[in-house]
Amino acid sequence: MSEPIRNKKLDNMAAPTPQNTPANAAPISSRAQQPGVDSIKEEDLERTAAGLFAANPALVSMMQAKLGSLVGRSSGYIESLPGSVRRRVAGLKGIQKEHSKLEAEFQEEVLQLEKKYFAKFTPLYQSRAKIINGETEPTEEQVTVGEKKDEDDEEDPVPEEEVNKDEGKDVKGIPEFWLSAMKNQISLAEMITDRDEGALKHLTDIRMEYLDRPGFRLIFEFEENEYFTNKAITKSYFYQEENGYGGDFIYDHAEGDKIDWKQGKDLTVRVESKKQRNKNTKQTRVVKKTVPTESFFNFFDPPKPPQDDDDASSDIEERLELDYQLGEDIKEKLIPRAIDWFTGEALQYENLEDFDEGEFEDEDDEDEDDVSDRDEDDESDDEDDGTKPKQEAAECKQS
């Protein structure tokens, strides 16, 4: 075997020793100096790094892309195995692919089974809607079965004096049924504002249906109301055509209906008024601006999946995950067991430990009228040149 080619320059280079290495390296520029151990503090380093990344989002994107490209790359271990062992590894991969095909078949059959029983559930949901909306009364058999206590029900009976003796002959159906059920469902309750309740009182039914492609549609039906003209507002969740690693369906995106708000009734925005005074003429004017605000109805305007050129530091992935989870909660929890959410009985089966109280903090209750009054009292000097104040968007749970 021939000898490797030697680098003559390396032969002339001596290993660094205390004798041939200066105490301080040569500065890169006339003002540069090699930092000593005591000259760098950890908090200064973190602050510098944070500032560097904040000022260079492109650098952050480049680093994340570089790290992402390393995921799944071979470490070289498999390639270093003997040929006979690599052949066995390839055989195991073949078996795994057969397993993946069966997993995909399993998920498809589960979906078909869900659809089969959903068709059986549908008449029950229709009967429920008729009773809620006062179109019919429950049968004696249904009432008897409903009043029967379950074996594991340890709830104490309500004292006789606390039971409402009013027959309620003038009451139609079950008023505010869906609003009450939604407010007991924790993830939905967090989205419902006091303003939303006026519109959600008009809900007559919440149902779902499967799409022709992988996915499902949520349908919110309303009676005529003062807020919008829609009789129904829908939101569709779409899965990708190809299954995931374990055969599961992979969420792709959601699409919601446009809400046809009546004049001045849009619950997803609020109007802010502010007085401005001209510093020359001392005349005042009132400037009004419309800004987004929190509302359950933002649910029908779901976040869009990120594109390649989106800022890597955005919270879009978190918002997409939250939006999908809300849809799943409505599909899998609220619709099938609406009466249990209305009565609150479903809460005993919820894992409330998932809602860590440490994540919440008390907020001072503040009347919206007080906020509006305070805004109107704020006066700012402004040249009367026709310019309007810069519009600031309020943070929304859904966008």
Side-chain angles (χ1 to χ4, degrees):
M1 181 181 295
S2 60
E3 294 183 358
I5 299 175
R6 301 179 62 180
N7 190 330
K8 294 182 179 181
K9 291 184 179 181
L10 295 178
D11 292 341
N12 297 329
M13 293 180 62
T17 66
Q19 287 72 32
N20 63 19
T21 304
N24 291 324
I28 298 174
S29 67
S30 60
R31 291 182 297 276
Q33 182 178 357
Q34 182 183 24
V37 174
D38 295 334
S39 65
I40 297 181
K41 295 182 179 180
E42 184 176 354
E43 55 269 23
D44 293 337
L45 184 61
E46 292 177 353
R47 191 180 302 112
T48 301
L52 177 63
F53 291 143
N56 297 275
L59 176 62
V60 177
S61 300
M62 182 185 68
M63 293 177 64
Q64 290 181 334
K66 184 64 176 177
L67 292 173
S69 66
L70 297 177
V71 177
R73 293 183 61 177
S74 173
S75 63
Y77 170 71
I78 302 298
E79 291 77 2
S80 68
L81 295 174
S84 59
V85 178
R86 292 201 305 273
R87 182 177 182 277
R88 296 171 193 133
V89 170
L92 293 182
K93 286 185 176 182
I95 294 176
Q96 184 61 47
K97 289 184 177 180
E98 294 180 15
H99 187 278
S100 297
K101 290 181 180 179
L102 291 177
E103 284 180 322
E105 292 178 13
F106 169 74
Q107 293 296 337
E108 182 60 34
E109 289 192 21
V110 168
L111 176 60
Q112 297 305 320
L113 187 62
E114 287 182 0
K115 291 182 177 181
K116 173 184 176 181
Y117 276 87
F118 177 75
K120 295 183 177 182
F121 294 150
T122 299
L124 302 180
Y125 296 154
Q126 293 172 343
S127 297
R128 178 179 68 188
K130 290 179 179 180
I131 294 174
I132 291 172
N133 297 312
E135 298 176 13
T136 186
E137 293 292 332
T139 64
E140 289 298 328
E141 180 183 1
Q142 290 170 338
V143 173
T144 301
V145 174
E147 290 179 340
K148 184 178 180 181
K149 296 292 184 181
D150 295 332
E151 295 181 359
D152 57 349
D153 190 354
E154 300 178 357
E155 184 179 350
D156 296 331
V158 179
E160 186 68 22
E161 60 272 13
E162 295 184 12
V163 177
N164 188 353
K165 300 299 180 65
D166 183 11
E167 290 292 333
K169 295 181 178 179
D170 297 331
V171 179
K172 181 181 178 182
I174 305 179
E176 301 179 16
F177 176 87
W178 286 106
L179 172 60
S180 300
M182 292 170 66
K183 290 176 68 176
N184 282 334
Q185 217 288 321
I186 299 176
S187 59
L188 294 176
E190 293 178 347
M191 300 175 57
I192 299 173
T193 68
D194 292 340
R195 298 172 68 212
D196 293 332
E197 292 189 17
L200 293 176
K201 289 178 181 179
H202 297 283
L203 263 171
T204 59
D205 198 14
I206 301 178
R207 54 190 180 88
M208 63 84 66
E209 63 185 16
Y210 288 98
L211 304 177
D212 294 335
R213 56 169 289 183
F216 61 93
R217 178 180 292 114
L218 301 176
I219 305 170
F220 293 72
E221 296 183 348
F222 292 85
E223 63 185 0
E224 186 175 348
N225 60 81
E226 60 181 297
Y227 295 92
F228 43 77
T229 59
N230 306 65
K231 297 299 183 183
I233 308 176
T234 71
K235 183 173 181 179
S236 302
Y237 287 85
F238 299 92
Y239 297 119
Q240 295 181 10
E241 294 292 346
E242 296 183 359
N243 297 76
Y245 175 75
D248 295 328
F249 293 103
I250 303 176
Y251 172 58
D252 187 64
H253 72 285
E255 297 176 4
D257 283 346
K258 180 181 180 297
I259 302 177
D260 298 321
W261 297 101
K262 295 182 179 180
Q263 183 67 30
K265 294 295 184 178
D266 190 343
L267 297 174
T268 63
V269 298
R270 72 175 189 274
V271 178
E272 291 184 350
S273 299
K274 189 172 183 179
K275 281 186 178 181
Q276 293 184 334
R277 176 184 295 170
N278 187 289
K279 65 181 181 180
N280 295 325
T281 64
K282 303 303 180 183
Q283 292 181 341
T284 61
R285 65 177 181 179
V286 177
V287 177
K288 294 185 177 181
K289 57 183 178 180
T290 302
V291 296
T293 189
E294 293 182 354
S295 170
F296 168 78
F297 290 93
N298 289 318
F299 174 72
F300 298 100
D301 184 18
K304 303 296 186 293
Q307 303 298 323
D308 294 338
D309 56 351
D310 278 1
D311 184 2
S313 63
S314 71
D315 62 347
I316 187 65
E317 292 292 344
E318 181 179 348
R319 290 165 54 207
L320 284 168
E321 182 179 352
L322 173 61
D323 181 72
Y324 175 72
Q325 188 57 54
L326 288 170
E328 278 289 311
D329 286 347
I330 295 173
K331 171 178 175 283
E332 299 293 339
K333 295 181 179 181
L334 182 64
I335 293 177
R337 296 175 174 83
I339 184 59
D340 292 336
W341 289 108
F342 174 80
T343 62
E345 295 175 24
L347 287 170
Q348 63 182 309
Y349 303 107
E350 284 288 282
N351 185 10
L352 299 181
E353 294 179 358
D354 292 342
F355 299 88
D356 186 3
E357 291 189 6
E359 297 178 358
F360 299 88
E361 58 183 11
D362 294 336
E363 293 184 358
D364 295 333
D365 292 335
E366 193 169 23
D367 200 323
E368 289 183 349
D369 294 334
D370 295 338
V371 176
S372 178
D373 292 340
R374 187 169 63 253
D375 287 342
E376 291 182 2
D377 291 337
D378 290 341
E379 295 182 352
S380 60
D381 292 339
D382 180 33
E383 291 288 350
D384 193 8
D385 55 0
T387 59
K388 294 185 179 180
K390 182 179 180 181
Q391 176 174 330
E392 297 180 357
E395 182 181 355
C396 300
K397 283 187 179 178
Q398 300 285 329
S399 63

